[in-house]
Amino acid sequence: MPFADRPAFNFGQLKVLRVTSRGGAPASQDRLELDFNGWAHGGRWAVQLDTALGRPGDPTLIVAQGVACLAVAWWAQLSPKSYIERVVGAVFLSPLSFSPSEAPVARSLRPSPGTRLPFPSIVTSHASPIIQQVLDLADTWGSQFVDADASAEVARRTLLGHPLVYEPHLMELIDASWVLPAPAAPVEPTILPGIDLLATTRK
């Protein structure tokens, strides 16, 4: 069974951490804005994720948006098991929709390591000219794809049997705000050699 070696979580204590790429503000209890300034050298965004998730704490569902999805995937695929033990799963919102200023970061985060994520995940995106690339990304990550233009009822049916379907916060997301705001105009991703952006932060 996939993820059979995952620890048993007390879902009554579960938290949702929303991860975006805006600003780089300090982490709060439920929000983390990744700082990509100097991303090619310092990898501050990786340190932020380490700090927010890489220590013992309540089980956490990650909800990431835009280029932050790519950063979270890199972090999860390259982090030691102890760093991700508290992550129940992730929902990735429009992972290939980002602003032109974020394009250099996105290009360097693609392709991500060719391994599945170590926790169950969902990718959702609106229809766009790059939807096939979004589907390919979901396949690489081992994620279930859900059409962001679908109704909450259709989203529920699509996710039937998914490991996260019993997670109450996910059901709240589907019922309350499943249809996402129109994403930023997608920038056509350019495939560049992968860069281990975590290497310099954990020496």
Side-chain angles (χ1 to χ4, degrees):
M1 177 183 296
F3 314 111
D5 61 343
R6 301 286 293 158
F9 292 107
N10 180 355
F11 286 99
Q13 298 177 334
L14 188 135
K15 296 180 179 179
V16 174
L17 179 65
R18 290 169 172 80
V19 185
T20 68
S21 60
R22 305 301 182 197
S28 66
Q29 185 176 3
D30 62 356
R31 186 177 182 85
L32 179 63
E33 296 187 344
L34 298 182
D35 182 2
F36 289 113
N37 290 328
W39 56 269
H41 304 289
R44 173 167 166 71
W45 60 270
V47 175
Q48 289 178 285
L49 288 168
D50 284 349
T51 301
L53 295 165
R55 60 184 64 179
D58 292 333
T60 301
L61 173 71
I62 299 172
V63 178
Q65 187 162 14
V67 73
C69 300
L70 306 180
V72 169
W74 262 92
W75 176 83
Q77 290 167 316
L78 298 178
S79 292
K81 185 177 180 179
S82 61
Y83 278 57
I84 57 173
E85 284 184 340
R86 61 182 283 197
V87 178
V88 172
V91 179
F92 297 113
L93 310 177
S94 301
L96 294 184
S97 294
F98 41 83
S99 66
S101 65
E102 296 170 328
V105 177
R107 287 169 179 153
S108 293
L109 289 171
R110 293 194 73 222
S112 60
T115 57
R116 293 194 167 202
L117 296 177
F119 41 69
S121 57
I122 295 162
V123 168
T124 180
S125 184
H126 292 279
S128 76
I130 59 171
I131 190 62
Q132 185 57 52
Q133 294 183 60
V134 175
L135 293 172
D136 292 343
L137 192 63
D139 185 61
T140 297
W141 290 347
S143 305
Q144 172 69 55
F145 177 80
V146 181
D147 184 356
D149 296 308
S151 66
E153 180 182 355
V154 170
R156 279 178 173 271
R157 288 203 304 267
T158 302
L159 291 170
L160 188 65
H162 189 275
L164 289 179
V165 77
Y166 302 107
E167 201 292 290
H169 286 289
L170 178 60
M171 295 300 99
E172 292 172 11
L173 284 171
I174 290 175
D175 290 335
S177 59
W178 186 253
V179 179
L180 306 175
V187 175
E188 185 70 17
T190 300
I191 304 301
L192 296 179
I195 303 172
D196 187 352
L197 299 181
L198 303 188
T200 59
T201 68
R202 293 181 181 156
K203 289 183 179 179

